[in-house]
Amino acid sequence: MSHTAIAGAPFVAYRQNDLYLEDVKLSDLARTHGTPLFVYSKAAMLSALAAYQRGFAGRKAQICYAMKANSSLAILQVFAQAGCGFDIVSGGELSRALAAGADAKKIIFSGVGKTRAEMKQALQAGIGCFNVESEAELDVLHEVATRLGVQAPVSLRVNPNVDPKTHPYISTGLKGNKFGVAHERALVVYQHAARLSGLKVVGIDCHIGSQITETTPYLDAMDRILDLVTEIEKTGIHIHHIDFGGGLGINYNGDTPPPADALWAQLLAKLDARGYGQRQLMIEPGRSLVGNAGVCLTEVIYTKPGEQKNFCIVDAAMNDLPRPAMYEAFHQIVAVQPRAGSALTYDVVGPICESGDWLGRDRLLNVQSGDMLAVLSAGAYCMSMSSNYNTRGRPAEVLVDGAQVHLIRQRESAFDTFALESLV
Ligand code: LLP
């Protein structure tokens, strides 16, 4: 049987004229479970994780999956069973992670707006570390921990002021961003933290952005953070772990991020050269663990030729897969069972009443209504950012493992979307 691989989607391939994810024929899944449908490959996730694990062989490193990328319980379960911790940003994510079997000690809590209630919930669960993002938050955390009679383990998220060279909406380590404590203030803030009895300083953290495809911003940020560690430790405060955040990009459209192991070979060389190679390390990757593991299957409802544009109207929309509408992000779109013959250029759009509701622009496709398309690299920041806009139930989700198929989330019905509402 002929296999044709697809760049950027390592576990997606055509076998003859049918698109497969691992050993599962995607047209069969679409027929059984309906569309739009998210389908994830367990092997793709574990292989992405293995690249990090190879990179860290022989080191003390904890990988904390940034679950905002895809927080479906069964996805979390895959990573928890593989030994990962989790980077969370809300009390809701904490509840999810624990429900999926996470080890609380391997959970780190990031985010600029943690509430008292969330702090309490996380302290009671016994999480590993709070990545504190401001002085105000530090004081509140001290207060909450003191009231509970515990000490909160903390890192400060330091803003290294490094340009990650990515989309402005997803760069986070620049001076103008809301994230972290300014590099210049970090030492003073650490000294303040060390004096607060409700806190225990355990580490330092940074995260400079997302979909980063170059190594240099990471190397620069690392230099800035290690300079600080040296300064902080001179004052007698021990930095037990160093957390370098997430952010490594994936291949959406010919992007060429370094493989995780190659990136870490360079970063570890720097850590070794500066004498920090045996420190406890942490990272918070999200997209690079799940992005290329997922596809979104969608059915063509109508084709609509136009004077200026041809539209291919599909049953997935910006509520299901918001990245194109939000960031003008590019996702490859391919036919699940390609037709022979000539193709036309289409904008692939959803049924939502907004011109921003598009999934792909100017795509060469040979399609008819009833055909299935696959939107690729849809494992990260798609389902987790989905909404019920236009009272559209969220898609179902399926996890494939070899030839096995697991329905991991049922399709939401219209009733589900208004089940918490009441008439007056
Ligand atoms: N750690 C922190 C503190 C973060 O804020 C993020 C992502 C991560 C880790 C994981 O970053 P990753 O490895 O996934 O790049 N919705 C956007 C991406 C937003 C990223 C937000 N923070 C998108 O669809 O491109």
Side-chain angles (χ1 to χ4, degrees):
M1 200 187 275
S2 73
H3 284 222
T4 315
I6 296 187
F11 290 81
V12 182
Y14 286 107
R15 297 187 189 174
Q16 267 133 13
N17 206 42
D18 261 293
L19 196 64
Y20 277 70
L21 184 61
E22 296 196 35
D23 294 326
V24 175
K25 200 195 252 193
L26 292 174
S27 57
D28 287 347
L29 283 188
R31 213 168 298 122
T32 312
H33 299 285
T35 52
L37 180 73
F38 281 102
V39 192
Y40 310 112
S41 153
K42 183 174 178 183
M45 293 189 276
L46 292 179
S47 126
L49 177 64
Y52 280 103
Q53 289 165 331
R54 277 196 303 278
F56 286 125
R59 308 286 178 149
K60 287 184 277 182
Q62 177 63 54
I63 300 168
C64 291
Y65 167 55
M67 61 180 282
K68 64 169 81 69
N70 187 321
S71 51
S72 298
L73 288 184
I75 304 290
L76 304 182
Q77 184 186 25
V78 168
F79 289 115
Q81 285 174 352
C84 290
F86 296 92
D87 172 55
I88 64 165
V89 290
S90 69
E93 285 196 345
L94 175 56
S95 302
R96 259 185 189 277
L98 295 175
D103 176 353
K105 291 189 297 300
K106 294 187 192 167
I107 293 179
I108 52 180
F109 194 168
S110 304
V112 296
K114 302 176 195 81
T115 64
R116 284 182 163 79
E118 287 175 322
M119 289 172 177
K120 189 173 169 197
Q121 181 192 355
L123 285 168
Q124 284 172 335
I127 67 161
C129 187
F130 289 82
N131 290 341
V132 172
E133 304 224 14
S134 66
E135 297 171 60
E137 182 191 335
L138 209 56
D139 291 335
V140 171
L141 184 58
H142 158 68
E143 195 189 301
V144 175
T146 305
R147 204 162 290 162
L148 287 176
V150 296
Q151 268 197 322
V154 296
S155 279
L156 282 192
R157 175 168 174 185
V158 174
N159 185 338
N161 196 24
V162 166
D163 184 357
K165 306 203 176 75
T166 182
H167 191 290
Y169 280 18
I170 51 177
S171 59
T172 48
L174 278 165
K175 267 191 174 162
N177 295 130
K178 68 178 174 183
F179 300 99
V181 173
H183 193 268
E184 307 77 65
R185 277 206 59 76
L187 185 57
V188 176
V189 184
Y190 264 102
Q191 288 172 318
H192 178 58
R195 283 193 295 268
L196 296 175
S197 58
L199 306 181
K200 180 174 169 45
V201 172
V202 293
I204 191 164
D205 165 53
C206 75
H207 170 78
I208 56 174
S210 199
Q211 185 54 16
I212 300 170
T213 54
E214 294 178 29
T215 306
T216 318
Y218 279 107
L219 289 165
D220 292 348
M222 179 172 277
D223 264 327
R224 307 262 299 155
I225 294 299
L226 295 184
D227 290 348
L228 255 182
V229 173
T230 310
E231 287 300 305
I232 294 164
E233 294 201 325
K234 272 191 205 150
T235 70
I237 301 169
H238 177 59
I239 301 294
H240 173 258
H241 75 247
I242 310 179
D243 178 344
F244 289 102
L248 181 59
I250 61 170
N251 179 2
Y252 285 105
N253 186 23
D255 308 288
T256 51
D261 47 352
L263 171 70
W264 275 96
Q266 288 200 53
L267 289 171
L268 287 164
K270 182 180 277 294
L271 280 166
D272 287 340
R274 297 198 51 173
Y276 291 103
Q278 288 311 314
R279 241 354 119 96
Q280 172 71 42
L281 305 173
M282 314 257 273
I283 52 164
E284 308 163 2
R287 187 192 318 265
S288 52
L289 291 180
V290 290
N292 281 333
V295 304
C296 179
L297 301 182
T298 182
E299 182 177 336
V300 176
I301 310 175
Y302 302 112
T303 55
K304 183 172 174 181
E307 265 181 31
Q308 294 191 345
K309 289 236 167 209
N310 301 310
F311 292 102
C312 171
I313 302 168
V314 297
D315 65 0
M318 66 189 283
N319 73 299
D320 308 304
L321 207 157
R323 300 192 71 255
M326 280 185 79
Y327 317 112
E328 304 200 334
F330 182 97
H331 286 259
Q332 280 191 72
I333 301 176
V334 300
V336 170
Q337 293 174 313
R339 293 175 178 278
S342 59
L344 271 182
T345 301
Y346 286 100
D347 276 9
V348 180
V349 300
I352 285 183
C353 309
E354 300 221 21
S355 296
D357 181 26
W358 57 276
L359 300 179
R361 285 183 169 149
D362 298 324
R363 303 303 174 87
L364 207 55
L365 293 166
N366 178 7
V367 280
Q368 294 176 11
S369 55
D371 285 5
M372 296 293 170
L373 298 176
V375 183
L376 305 186
S377 308
Y381 302 113
C382 290
M383 185 63 177
S384 63
M385 298 208 304
S386 64
S387 77
N388 291 126
Y389 188 37
N390 281 204
T391 305
R392 291 169 51 87
R394 286 186 182 77
E397 294 181 294
V398 163
L399 179 69
V400 305
D401 179 8
Q404 279 185 315
V405 173
H406 305 278
L407 179 66
I408 60 169
R409 182 181 169 121
Q410 295 175 38
R411 183 173 305 284
E412 270 176 13
S413 68
F415 178 77
D416 292 329
T417 71
F418 55 79
L420 298 178
E421 299 171 40
S422 36
L423 300 170
V424 290

